[in-house]
Amino acid sequence: MYLGQQDGWIEVVTGVMFSGKSEELMRRVRRALIARRRVQVFKSHLDDRYAGVETVSSHDGSTIQAVPVSRSVEIAEAVRRDAQVVAIDEAQFLDEGVVTVANWLADCGVRVIVAGTDMDFRGEPFGPIPSLLAIAEKVDKLHAICVVCGDLASRNQRLIDGRPAPAEGPTIQVGGSESYEARCRTCHEVPSVDRGQTEILISKRL
Ligand code: ADP
Ligand code: ZN
C-alpha cells in the first residue's frame, strides 16, 4: 500500500444542515483536482437528495461524482492505492468505524476531508462526528441562517407535517414525511411525548 506518500491529516467540515458543508467539501475537492491530486469522494448512501446517488449535491444544486457507501469498511475496500485525497460527505450516517478508516488513511499520508452534521434533530451529538472532531487536525464549524429569526443557525429542526417532531422519534429517519429547517438555539423546538407535554416546547429557557 502506498497511499498518499506524504504527510496525511484529517479535516472536518461540520455544522447544521444548509450551512454549506457539501459546498465546502466540493470546493476543497475541486481545488485538489486543480492541484492534480488523485481524489476519491464517498458519501453515505442515505443521502440521495436531488441528482441521484452517484453524486454529492449541495442545497444549491451543484454536484460532483461520489461513490455511495453504507458501511465505513466499504471506503477502506474501495480506496485506491494511489489516492492522495479522500473526501467523505454525510458522515454522520456512517458507523463508528469511519473514525478508524479516517485515521488509517491519514496515517498512510492521505488528506481526509470529512463533512457531516454534528447534532441530530434533538441537538445531541450525532454518530461518529464527535469522535472525528476530536481526532481531526482541522475543524470548521459552519452556520446557516435561522429560518425563524434570521440569526445564525446551529440546530437541525425536524418537522413532521410542518410541526416540530417529538424527541422520541428515530435519530435517522429515511423517506418519511419529515422535513428539516436550520434554526438557532432559541428557535429550536423539541417537544417530548414521554413527558406528556407534546404541545409544550422543551428548551433551556423553560
Ligand atoms: P449542507 O451540506 O451543510 O447541508 P449545502 O452545501 O448542501 O449545506 O447547502 C448550502 C446552501 O443551502 C446555501 O448556499 C444556500 O444556498 C442554501 N440554503 C437554504 N436554506 C438555507 C439557510 N436557512 N441558511 C443558509 N443557507 C441556506
Ligand atoms: Zn432563531
Side-chain angles (χ1 to χ4, degrees):
M1 199 91 180
Y2 62 99
L3 289 161
Q5 296 180 311
Q6 60 201 343
D7 288 343
W9 68 87
I10 299 170
E11 51 196 84
V12 178
V13 182
T14 193
V16 66
M17 291 170 71
F18 305 103
S19 62
K21 299 182 298 298
S22 294
E23 283 175 349
E24 179 59 23
L25 180 138
M26 286 190 271
R27 176 178 172 274
R28 294 182 191 188
V29 165
R30 289 192 182 112
R31 289 165 66 92
L33 291 169
I34 290 169
R36 297 193 190 83
R37 300 292 186 263
R38 290 181 292 276
V39 181
Q40 272 184 288
V41 184
F42 299 91
K43 55 172 260 183
S44 163
H45 74 302
L46 291 181
D47 173 47
D48 60 357
R49 65 189 178 198
Y50 307 135
V53 294
E54 300 278 319
T55 58
V56 165
S57 306
S58 81
H59 285 106
D60 74 356
S62 59
T63 62
I64 53 173
Q65 294 293 304
V67 176
V69 292
S70 56
R71 292 179 305 138
S72 59
V73 68
E74 293 172 32
I75 298 172
E77 289 166 355
V79 74
R80 288 193 302 268
R81 290 166 60 92
D82 63 351
Q84 294 172 303
V85 178
V86 170
I88 308 167
D89 199 16
E90 302 291 346
Q92 74 276 2
F93 294 139
L94 292 172
D95 54 279
E96 285 286 335
V98 71
V99 180
T100 306
V101 171
N103 247 341
W104 167 66
L105 289 170
D107 288 346
C108 291
V110 174
R111 174 187 175 193
V112 183
I113 307 169
V114 184
T117 193
D118 50 353
M119 282 179 266
D120 64 19
F121 74 100
R122 304 178 197 91
E124 293 172 359
F126 201 156
I129 301 296
S131 300
L132 288 164
L133 293 173
I135 63 166
E137 275 83 356
K138 181 172 185 284
V139 171
D140 290 286
K141 179 153 177 165
L142 308 182
H143 297 87
I145 302 301
C146 174
V147 296
V148 177
C149 75
D151 283 349
L152 288 182
S154 58
R155 300 293 195 275
N156 294 308
Q157 178 68 54
R158 179 187 283 173
L159 301 170
I160 297 178
D161 298 329
R163 295 165 63 89
E168 289 75 11
T171 300
I172 299 174
Q173 195 166 33
V174 181
S177 61
E178 86 282 4
S179 60
Y180 290 90
E181 286 178 353
R183 293 196 186 181
C184 71
R185 177 186 287 274
T186 304
C187 298
H188 187 231
E189 302 174 21
V190 189
S192 172
V193 171
D194 280 353
R195 296 186 191 183
Q197 297 175 332
T198 310
E199 302 304 318
I200 299 174
L201 308 179
I202 306 299
S203 79
K204 295 212 165 176
R205 302 180 116 205
L206 295 179

